[in-house]
Amino acid sequence: MSKAKKIVIGVVAVLLALVVAAAAGIFAMWHNELSTVASITKLADADEENSAGPVYLMDVSGDYYFPEYLEQGGASNDDELISFVMGNITKGIIPISMKSPEIGCSSFTCGTDDGARCFGRNYDFGGATTGLIVRTNPTDGRYASISSVDLRFLGINDGAELSSLMQKLTCLVAPYAPLDGINEAGVSCGIYMSYQGPEDGVVSTDQTTDKPDLTSTTMLRMILDYAGSVDEAVSLVRQYDLHDSAGTSFHYMVADSTGKSAILEWVAADDSTDTDGTKRELKVYYNDDDSALGKMEAADEFQYVTNFVVTPDYYSNEEDMKGLDRYQAIQAAINGSGDNEAGIVSTDEAMGVLQTVGRRSWDANNGLSDSNSITVWSALYDLTNKSVTWVNNEGFGDESNVFTFDFSYR
């Protein structure tokens, strides 16, 4: 073999070695992220006539750095959260933005006639948006979970298809942005706008004690990852300051398979106008200890929530209580007769409650029009059997828009 050929072969060998080494390095750094992105599959197409965006499913590989997020003290604002996820999940090379559009939602707990405990949730918005079902299975003792994410929160707008690699890489941050979900312990939680503050604006909760910090959706992620019961969820939440995202304000509902549930909200202790988010304190109202909310709530063993603060005497008139009509409709659908205080219904009836307050039909039937006129998804979480029936864009009865998930994917 000539000397020149030997040199060429040597150069090629070196280049191949470098390529293999680079590939090995990329795999070592990105193998969980690459597996996660590769798992993304479409469940439902967009439907322009119904103002519906597409729906996708994603299985998260690895532990998505959430323990490290908590160990660093969480984040007190979106910029800090973005800095963390870019430094860890997207390795600093994929730009991420997070925002929190106005949403109007509703939830309830109930029991079914076959003995299951359930948590129902409608997620309402004002236009087409891309939905993502996120399934996690962390390996460090945290609970596996199934959650729902609106990708608009991550900057994927207007019901866009996940057609580019960059869009799919953005989905790596989705575990940090759940809006509702269930974990394998049978704990379910949802987040709902509470519209706190003056008439001309919303003031976000921004607690400033010496506790570590969590933003709105990462608090929900903490509950899904670590809480084995409602009591554990409340105990965890009490250990953190809440910092609502993007100038909005939220409250939460959490429930477990024992039938226990609670509404969690942050209300100013010494500010009657609630215009200073630093002065808010956590209030917890349990389903078996909520007589302060009213006679109706005291009688019902189940709970329900929409978009107004349930803390007594917060409002001077009912007109300021956003979603009061849906709140009352949920209660009436489950215990309108007054003889079903336990809130026991069939599974079909529970789905019917979600359908009743779905915003397309609700607004049309009641002559209403506001910024949240579409129910993007409806989810009925079965806390006893650890499963969820998930309905896309009010497609009740349409098999192509109804999906069921459980924890058999682990």
Side-chain angles (χ1 to χ4, degrees):
M1 185 180 298
S2 69
K3 184 177 181 180
K5 286 184 177 179
K6 289 181 179 180
I7 293 174
V8 170
I9 291 172
V11 170
V12 170
V14 170
L15 291 175
L16 287 174
L18 290 173
V19 170
V20 170
I26 291 172
F27 180 79
M29 178 179 290
W30 283 86
H31 64 282
N32 283 324
E33 288 77 10
L34 292 172
S35 295
T36 299
V37 169
S39 77
I40 297 174
T41 56
K42 183 187 283 188
L43 299 179
D45 292 323
D47 181 358
E48 292 185 7
E49 292 185 3
N50 198 34
S51 298
V55 180
Y56 293 85
L57 172 67
M58 183 178 79
D59 289 318
V60 179
S61 296
D63 295 334
Y64 47 92
Y65 300 96
F66 197 69
E68 290 84 348
Y69 173 72
L70 296 181
E71 287 170 8
Q72 74 159 23
S76 61
N77 55 60
D78 288 342
D79 288 340
E80 290 181 4
L81 175 57
I82 290 169
S83 176
F84 176 83
V85 298
M86 285 188 64
N88 290 273
I89 297 176
T90 67
K91 315 304 182 188
I93 63 174
I94 301 171
I96 297 294
S97 64
M98 301 187 75
K99 62 180 182 178
S100 196
E102 285 195 4
I103 57 177
C105 310
S106 54
S107 268
F108 62 90
T109 61
C110 66
T112 64
D113 50 15
D114 58 0
R117 302 301 310 183
C118 290
F119 178 98
R121 191 266 169 71
N122 276 351
Y123 171 66
D124 304 334
F125 188 60
T129 189
T130 307
L132 180 67
I133 309 298
V134 176
R135 301 193 297 199
T136 68
N137 188 25
T139 60
D140 57 357
R142 287 178 288 150
Y143 294 113
S145 68
I146 303 168
S147 61
S148 310
V149 175
D150 178 353
L151 291 179
R152 183 178 290 266
F153 278 66
L154 303 182
I156 298 175
N157 298 323
D158 303 321
E161 303 278 347
L162 299 182
S163 55
S164 71
L165 177 60
M166 186 62 71
Q167 288 172 317
K168 292 181 179 180
L169 290 172
T170 298
C171 293
L172 292 171
V173 187
Y176 287 74
L179 297 177
D180 54 70
I182 182 175
N183 68 21
E184 60 182 319
V187 173
S188 199
C189 187
I191 184 172
Y192 320 86
M193 279 197 71
S194 53
Y195 295 95
Q196 292 168 249
E199 292 183 4
D200 58 348
V202 176
V203 177
S204 60
T205 299
D206 189 23
Q207 294 179 298
T208 55
T209 73
D210 57 359
K211 297 177 183 178
D213 305 297
L214 287 177
T215 59
S216 304
T217 57
T218 57
M219 182 167 284
L220 198 155
R221 169 51 60 193
M222 179 184 66
I223 291 171
L224 293 176
D225 277 18
Y226 291 98
S229 67
V230 167
D231 288 338
E232 288 184 11
V234 173
S235 178
L236 285 165
V237 168
R238 290 191 188 280
Q239 297 174 39
Y240 290 84
D241 280 347
L242 175 63
H243 304 272
D244 283 327
S245 301
T248 57
S249 64
F250 295 98
H251 56 179
Y252 298 68
M253 177 182 275
V254 59
D256 64 30
S257 59
T258 70
K260 190 166 189 175
S261 65
I263 296 171
L264 286 64
E265 55 190 30
W266 287 256
V267 178
D270 55 359
D271 177 10
S272 60
T273 59
D274 202 9
T275 55
D276 186 346
T278 67
K279 295 182 178 180
R280 292 181 185 157
E281 297 180 354
L282 174 63
K283 305 291 184 182
V284 181
Y285 302 98
Y286 296 97
N287 63 313
D288 57 357
D289 185 23
D290 57 359
S291 59
L293 305 186
K295 292 182 179 179
M296 182 175 71
E297 291 85 351
D300 292 332
E301 297 173 20
F302 60 101
Q303 277 190 313
Y304 27 94
V305 68
T306 55
N307 301 114
F308 65 90
V309 173
V310 300
T311 294
D313 303 320
Y314 184 84
Y315 300 97
S316 59
N317 59 77
E318 290 187 351
E319 286 72 23
D320 294 332
M321 301 168 71
K322 294 183 182 294
L324 177 62
D325 52 352
R326 288 176 285 117
Y327 182 88
Q328 294 171 333
I330 292 170
Q331 194 280 337
I334 297 175
N335 188 27
S337 63
D339 58 3
N340 188 27
E341 292 90 349
I344 305 301
V345 296
S346 69
T347 300
D348 287 343
E349 288 171 335
M351 295 298 294
V353 176
L354 292 171
Q355 187 171 8
T356 295
V357 293
R359 294 305 296 274
R360 291 176 178 86
S361 55
W362 179 261
D363 288 6
N365 293 337
N366 293 278
L368 302 175
S369 177
D370 64 21
S371 60
N372 297 306
S373 57
I374 293 173
T375 294
V376 178
W377 67 72
S378 303
L380 186 64
Y381 293 100
D382 185 328
L383 311 182
T384 301
N385 298 300
K386 283 77 172 180
S387 63
V388 56
T389 300
W390 201 95
V391 181
N392 177 39
N393 278 281
E394 301 181 57
F396 297 90
D398 177 359
E399 291 184 359
S400 65
N401 280 304
V402 179
F403 309 96
T404 58
F405 306 98
D406 59 29
F407 288 93
S408 59
Y409 68 89
R410 290 171 301 164

